[in-house]
Amino acid sequence: MAAQPLPLSIHEFHKLYDGAKPAYEYWFGEAIQKPMPTILHGIGQFIIAALLERAGWNTSLEVRLKVDPNAEPVPDIIAVQGKFRGPYPTQAPELCVEILSPGDTLPKTLEKAKRYIRWGSRCVWIIDPEKRTAWTFSREYVPEPTPEAMPEPTWIAPGGVLEIGATTIALEEIFLEVERKLETTDAQLS
């Protein structure tokens, strides 16, 4: 696709990029292509969503957020307690999950997480499937975040636990299930 002059209006963005594969996100007048996910990313995304569902959350994958008129990101997973309303969330979901893919950078993903928190998300998890670690942001420590007062990201080591309210999910549980799925996939390909 040819480069478009910046800034793009939201209307131009939708005209040019709706339905594009891989997906594009709209960030302040710019179309940003989401990196192509790996099998590790896809399996992890499915497992995390299933674990959240088992804990009583409603989840959805790869949904465009329409919370801010200047940005329309597509988190890997969103989760709410309660029901989704409308075709696109217009209020920040309680939980946004980003899973790093090749091409993603941690600083850029941390900036995305800060936006989700500023818009009203309660918590953001950033999962690094290669290192089997995570980062988490939570509003619990900064109830009214501003650019000057943002929660600090917390690094979760391998074997650590992701939390949002009373829900806890061990990284080990995620990656044991990922390994099981990868072994099943490898066996089926042989």
Side-chain angles (χ1 to χ4, degrees), residues 33-45:
Q33 185 177 15
K34 285 192 67 144
M36 200 62 181
T38 62
I39 193 79
L40 182 60
H41 178 286
I43 291 171
Q45 186 176 16

Side-chain angles (χ1 to χ4, degrees), residues 44-67:
Q45 186 176 16
F46 174 78
I47 290 166
I48 294 165
L51 291 170
L52 284 165
E53 289 277 340
R54 192 179 315 152
W57 291 81
N58 283 327
T59 64
S60 190
L61 309 178
E62 305 287 335
V63 174
R64 185 172 304 283
L65 301 183
K66 295 192 177 206
V67 176

